[in-house]
Amino acid sequence: MKYYDKLIFELSRKGRCGYSLPDSPYQETTAAIPENLRRGTEPALPEVSELDVVRHYTNLSDMNFGVDTGFYPLGSCTMKYNPKINEEIASMPGFKGIHPLQPASTVQGALRLYRDLCKALSVVTGMAEFTLNPFAGAHGELTGLMIMRRYHISRGDTGRVKVIVPDSAHGTNPASAAVCGLEVVQVKSTADGTIDVEDLKPLLDNTVAGIMMTNPNTLGLFESRIREIADLVHGCGGLLYYDGANMNPLLGVVRPGDMGFDIMHLNLHKTFSTPHGGGGPGAGPVGVAEHLAAYLPVPSVCENSDGSLYVQGNACGYATVSAESIPAGQISGFTGNFGVLLRAYAYILMLGRQNIKMAGPLAVLGANYIKESLKDFYRLPIDTVCKHEFVFDGLADRSTGVTTLDVAKRLLDYGFHAPTIYFPLLFHQSIMIEPTETESKETLDGFIDIMKRIAQEALTEPESLKTAPHTTPVRRLDETSAARQPVLTFRMLSSLN
């Protein structure tokens, strides 16, 4: 262990101080703190110099892996580069310094941005109207399903309590349906990885509220029978929900609204380049077809006859409307994660109507290039043209017992983040790879070369994979124990004395 790999508590020396604050002229204000809330003893904080503190946090940041430091081929997660112009715009004082309780007349620019982003997303997706209020993709899913359910109930069709979900779906799909109080019915996939339409047909009746689909699906394959599926579901009175997690390869090429979807969410933090990971921040706007626009949640940004904007249905200081006219209610505070929305808006404007059409085809090209380059070294269960991502089923030669987990851990030694592994659940040794459109051919070639080298190592020196990683700050963990019995408090591991 290097000296500055040690935790800041291990660097602590009694009496050492990194700062000095002047005496407060308001000592008597401590009396305002109730006696039962005051500390009896000083907090147990490390005693270190300012330089040690700076080095500690700088070294910690160097241990993190991010899209700014290396290739992130996470399938289904779309970890693309976040252009720095987005950050500059989001940091502008006129945006950063506003407060959601300001009068609408003082935030017309922010409200205009909200409306313009809704219109831009409607154009890209073929939906009639959007709300930007949901805080994440899963939150958007729940909101969309609430709209679906409220639509049926408002028409007196209360028996529609089932949502059909493909067996290849993202895990949030059945979870969101269950949270919304709906019954999940699974539809099988065919050998080519797409929805089995013949298995779907018997499931459709007057108890079906709708179907949730991702297209391209979780295997990175386009559901070519989508129009037929839409006609079947609509024919039984159900609605189509589009999980927009995989919207990235369709940008400017195909629109969910044109496929027949009624409701959808978008992961702005995936398709539109805003930072994500570690639980946030995110944004999951929900779009709907015209016949569902009245069911979108509030608050919403509306336009007066003179072109000025106002916020409707917000119980936090703006004009409110009656509960009867808010079918989907309020699902978040104010109007969503504004900083994330800003970044996505900047990204869309930067690309423009013409260049945004390049994102999808470039993502598809990169994924197919990697797939074709590696399919002799890793098992390819579905050998066909993919869209933005694809799935291997472990190594082509498993004779030495090397698993998908071993491959993923070994990749860390070579400076690449691991792909998504063991998902989707259709294959036992899934390796799910998505390069995105922002990576250069040189980066993809480097990744391909290392994946080939690892496949060779699996045959010639398998133990190097089974004990990997070897060069990271933390070696391979007991992940089961780490999840079930996490150590959440500091423990002194060593001493500098």
Side-chain angles (χ1 to χ4, degrees), residues 421-436:
I421 60 173
Y422 298 116
F423 178 81
L425 303 178
L426 294 176
F427 309 114
H428 294 299
Q429 294 289 327
S430 289
I431 304 175
M432 191 180 189
I433 298 173
E434 178 181 0
T436 82

Side-chain angles (χ1 to χ4, degrees), residues 88-129:
E88 292 183 30
I89 290 175
S91 298
M92 292 173 67
F95 291 130
K96 188 173 64 175
I98 62 176
H99 191 282
L101 287 178
Q102 285 181 228
S105 60
T106 67
V107 288
Q108 286 293 296
L111 297 182
R112 177 62 61 188
L113 187 150
Y114 186 101
R115 286 298 300 157
D116 287 350
L117 180 55
C118 285
K119 292 176 182 177
L121 297 180
S122 294
V123 171
V124 169
T125 63
M127 291 291 163
E129 187 58 86

Side-chain angles (χ1 to χ4, degrees), residues 25-363:
Y26 307 107
Q27 296 294 337
E28 66 277 7
T29 59
T30 58
I33 303 175
E35 185 68 33
N36 65 322
L37 296 180
R38 298 186 202 177
R39 282 184 174 275
T41 58
E42 292 290 326
L45 299 175
E47 298 178 69
V48 292
S49 70
E50 178 181 329
L51 181 56
D52 280 341
V53 172
V54 170
R55 285 175 176 167
H56 169 71
Y57 284 106
T58 300
N59 286 321
L60 280 182
S61 70
D62 288 343
M63 294 179 186
N64 288 334
F65 192 100
V67 74
D68 286 354
T69 59
F71 181 36
Y72 236 117
L74 276 175
S76 191
C77 289
T78 318
M79 296 291 283
K80 67 168 74 175
Y81 173 67
N82 312 136
K84 296 302 172 273
I85 186 64
N86 300 358
E87 304 304 313
E88 292 183 30
I89 290 175
S91 298
M92 292 173 67
F95 291 130
K96 188 173 64 175
I98 62 176
H99 191 282
L101 287 178
Q102 285 181 228
S105 60
T106 67
V107 288
Q108 286 293 296
L111 297 182
R112 177 62 61 188
L113 187 150
Y114 186 101
R115 286 298 300 157
D116 287 350
L117 180 55
C118 285
K119 292 176 182 177
L121 297 180
S122 294
V123 171
V124 169
T125 63
M127 291 291 163
E129 187 58 86
F130 264 87
T131 176
L132 309 182
N133 299 8
F135 291 137
H139 193 196
E141 283 183 18
L142 180 62
T143 302
L145 289 168
M146 289 167 61
I147 292 171
M148 180 185 291
R149 191 172 191 191
R150 190 64 65 92
Y151 167 75
H152 290 305
I153 291 175
S154 69
R155 297 164 60 245
D157 208 350
T158 58
R160 294 189 179 272
V161 294
K162 295 179 181 177
V163 169
I164 299 172
V165 177
D167 57 8
S168 63
H170 293 120
T172 52
N173 288 181
S176 297
V179 169
C180 199
L182 295 162
E183 179 184 340
V184 178
V185 178
Q186 188 178 90
V187 60
K188 297 177 182 177
S189 297
T190 61
D192 68 3
T194 58
I195 286 179
D196 187 338
V197 176
E198 297 310 311
D199 187 58
L200 173 66
K201 290 177 181 178
L203 304 177
L204 300 174
D205 56 28
N206 59 5
T207 66
V208 172
I211 185 171
M212 299 184 77
M213 291 179 60
T214 311
N215 197 19
N217 64 24
T218 309
L219 297 173
L221 305 173
F222 191 81
E223 297 281 355
S224 58
R225 300 178 70 178
I226 183 59
R227 288 301 308 177
E228 181 182 358
I229 292 171
D231 290 342
L232 287 169
V233 175
H234 287 152
C236 82
L239 300 177
L240 271 75
Y241 182 93
Y242 182 81
D243 176 349
N246 291 353
M247 180 69 193
N248 198 56
L250 303 188
L251 284 179
V253 180
V254 181
R255 306 191 308 173
D258 299 333
M259 298 181 207
F261 286 95
D262 305 285
I263 310 169
M264 69 172 294
H265 84 267
L266 281 169
N267 300 69
L268 288 196
H269 47 288
K270 293 169 65 170
T271 302
F272 297 100
S273 85
T274 69
H276 70 293
V286 170
V288 294
E290 189 171 358
H291 63 286
L292 297 173
Y295 296 86
L296 287 172
V298 294
S300 58
V301 177
C302 303
E303 190 164 348
N304 290 308
S305 58
D306 63 358
S308 62
L309 300 170
Y310 65 98
V311 178
Q312 176 175 273
N314 193 329
C316 303
Y318 295 120
T320 58
V321 294
S322 65
E324 290 76 15
S325 60
I326 311 177
Q330 185 165 342
I331 50 87
S332 62
F334 305 106
T335 50
N337 275 337
F338 188 65
V340 177
L341 303 177
L342 269 171
R343 290 168 170 84
Y345 184 69
Y347 178 76
I348 292 171
L349 289 186
M350 180 176 64
L351 290 181
R353 183 183 294 269
Q354 295 302 318
N355 290 328
I356 203 169
K357 295 180 180 180
M358 297 174 63
L362 285 174

